Amino acid sequence: MGDSSDSVSIDMETPSLSGKEYVVETCCGYVSVSVYGDQDKPALVTYPDLALNHISCFQGLFFCPEACSLLLHNFCIYHISPPGHELGAATISPDDPLLSVDDLADQIADVLNYFGLDAVMCMGVTAGAYILTLFAMKYRQRVLGLILISPLCNAPSWTEWLYNKVLSNLLYYYGMCGVVKELLLKRYFSKEARGSAQVPESDVVQACRRLLDERQGLNVWRFLEAMNGRQDISDGLRKLRCRSLIYVGESSPFHFEALDMNSKLDRRCSALVEVQACGSMVTEEQPHAMLIPLEYFLMGYGMYRPPKLSVSPRSPLSPICISPELLSPESMGLKLKPIKTRISLEV
């Protein structure tokens, strides 16, 4: 993608990371979309979690060479930012109406229409996973599959609703202050990644902290208000016919919600990957844990053919890192099995 001086070829060894920014007019305002890759390829649409955009939510996954090659070899990536979450976004006018989760889902349909896309693959994290799942339920013919990281499907519990109200008030009156950033980092990352008095926080957390400084508090408040008013969509999950792959960190505050959502999906076309020693944002904290399940998930679409087993046992590509259940022939199509993965912390 890009100007004529930019390369548009996608190479398995050195995939292009150059993208092009679009501002798309939708039924509910303007949306920023970053496009990476060859637009003649099938589309993968991403949607980030609260207060994040594609840089802060998916950078780790796309900086993982094997995952980047796998995804850019098969897809053109369309990173959709929630309104006002794009890089350099100004504060949305107070006169603009607050959007609901249905409005945000409808915006995705308008983005697909703008680019002339029919059915797409979707990848979302927590709030973004909810928006994409809702989109899949409203526009079933337009979703090939769902890749969901720490997803939500229920209405907020009283505990979450109250917690979000406290966060919402802080955002509204104080903006992206230190307390808000700490609360958000607890939402995204495990305690191990966030560090302690004895152990410094990880580079990933430090980078996310810096990126949060760029967010406009009132824009984040708008997205949070939409999510705090979300409806329970669990009754419609069994009617979904697209395949679903769910990742969740075992230290995620949304771990139970992800397990609950997986239990309500049709088991014939869904799989669960629980990642140990990881928070909600698996895409940043442990992106290698996503690789092998992604390969076998895409195999069911004919988008990936595994090489002969010539990899090192220590390689993240090694099949020993994944449950043998997922490697069985019946699991390469619709019948994906619930699995767990553990990524070694050793180098």
Side-chain angles (χ1 to χ4, degrees):
M1 285 300 305
D3 300 331
S4 58
S5 59
D6 294 333
S7 171
V8 297
S9 63
I10 303 297
D11 184 84
M12 279 294 287
E13 299 299 326
T14 57
S16 171
L17 292 177
S18 60
K20 186 172 182 180
E21 301 291 326
Y22 294 84
V23 177
V24 179
E25 184 175 7
T26 73
C27 59
C28 302
Y30 290 90
V31 171
S32 176
V33 184
S34 299
V35 181
Y36 290 74
D38 182 353
Q39 289 184 259
D40 289 333
K41 293 186 175 181
L44 170 65
V45 170
T46 76
Y47 210 98
D49 192 15
L50 177 74
L52 303 176
N53 54 35
H54 73 281
I55 298 296
S56 47
C57 195
F58 299 101
Q59 180 173 259
L61 179 63
F62 284 89
F63 274 21
C64 173
E66 299 95 338
C68 183
S69 292
L70 174 68
L71 293 173
L72 281 176
H73 180 72
N74 289 290
F75 298 103
C76 179
I77 316 298
Y78 296 80
H79 293 295
I80 301 177
S81 292
H85 284 54
E86 65 273 13
L87 291 174
T91 301
I92 298 173
S93 171
D95 296 331
D96 288 358
L98 290 176
L99 301 183
S100 67
V101 288
D102 283 283
D103 294 330
L104 296 174
D106 291 338
Q107 283 184 329
I108 297 173
D110 288 341
V111 169
L112 267 55
N113 293 339
Y114 176 87
F115 289 103
L117 302 174
D118 187 14
V120 301
M121 190 74 72
C122 296
M123 178 188 292
V125 178
T126 310
Y130 178 93
I131 299 299
L132 289 175
T133 304
L134 180 60
F135 169 72
M137 295 172 67
K138 296 182 71 173
Y139 302 89
R140 293 181 187 174
Q141 301 303 316
R142 308 200 72 170
V143 177
L144 291 171
L146 291 168
I147 303 165
L148 307 174
I149 299 93
S150 304
L152 307 169
C153 66
N154 299 315
S157 65
W158 280 110
T159 303
E160 184 193 346
W161 184 90
L162 184 60
Y163 184 92
N164 286 345
K165 274 301 178 184
V166 172
L167 183 58
S168 180
N169 286 335
L170 288 170
L171 282 165
Y172 189 85
Y173 291 107
Y174 300 101
M176 193 60 67
C177 61
V179 175
V180 168
K181 285 189 287 186
E182 292 303 322
L183 292 174
L184 289 173
L185 291 173
K186 287 182 180 180
R187 174 188 177 99
Y188 307 145
F189 299 107
S190 66
K191 185 177 180 180
E192 292 80 7
R194 299 196 313 272
S196 62
Q198 294 76 32
V199 181
E201 63 186 17
S202 69
D203 292 341
V204 171
V205 175
Q206 292 179 30
C208 187
R209 184 187 296 277
R210 291 191 295 269
L211 290 168
L212 286 175
D213 287 332
E214 301 174 4
R215 297 284 78 75
Q216 300 291 338
L218 288 178
N219 296 352
V220 178
W221 169 78
R222 286 173 166 268
F223 192 13
L224 180 57
E225 286 292 292
M227 288 304 300
N228 217 24
R230 70 182 188 269
Q231 301 296 313
D232 188 325
I233 58 174
S234 57
D235 286 345
L237 292 177
R238 288 200 179 274
K239 298 178 182 178
L240 289 176
R241 287 296 171 260
C242 63
R243 302 173 188 175
S244 303
L245 177 60
I246 294 177
Y247 297 89
V248 63
E250 291 193 332
S251 299
S252 168
F254 306 105
H255 182 247
F256 175 79
E257 284 83 351
L259 298 184
D260 183 52
M261 180 171 181
N262 180 68
S263 70
K264 294 171 180 174
L265 286 164
D266 188 334
R267 291 185 178 272
R268 295 172 298 174
C269 52
S270 65
L272 172 68
V273 181
E274 295 180 76
V275 184
Q276 298 180 358
C278 188
S280 297
M281 201 154 47
V282 183
T283 51
E284 292 295 303
E285 192 170 347
Q286 291 203 38
H288 277 89
M290 298 182 65
L291 181 60
I292 293 177
L294 268 178
E295 290 175 343
Y296 286 95
F297 183 69
L298 296 181
M299 190 183 297
Y301 294 88
M303 293 179 174
Y304 173 74
R305 292 183 179 180
K308 293 182 179 179
L309 301 182
S310 59
V311 294
S312 164
R314 293 174 58 85
S315 167
L317 290 171
S318 173
I320 66 170
C321 296
I322 198 168
S323 167
E325 288 182 333
L326 192 66
L327 307 184
S328 63
E330 67 174 359
S331 300
M332 295 179 186
L334 287 174
K335 299 187 71 174
L336 292 170
K337 302 286 186 178
I339 61 173
K340 285 192 177 185
T341 65
R342 174 188 282 274
I343 297 301
S344 173
L345 299 180
E346 299 179 0
V347 178

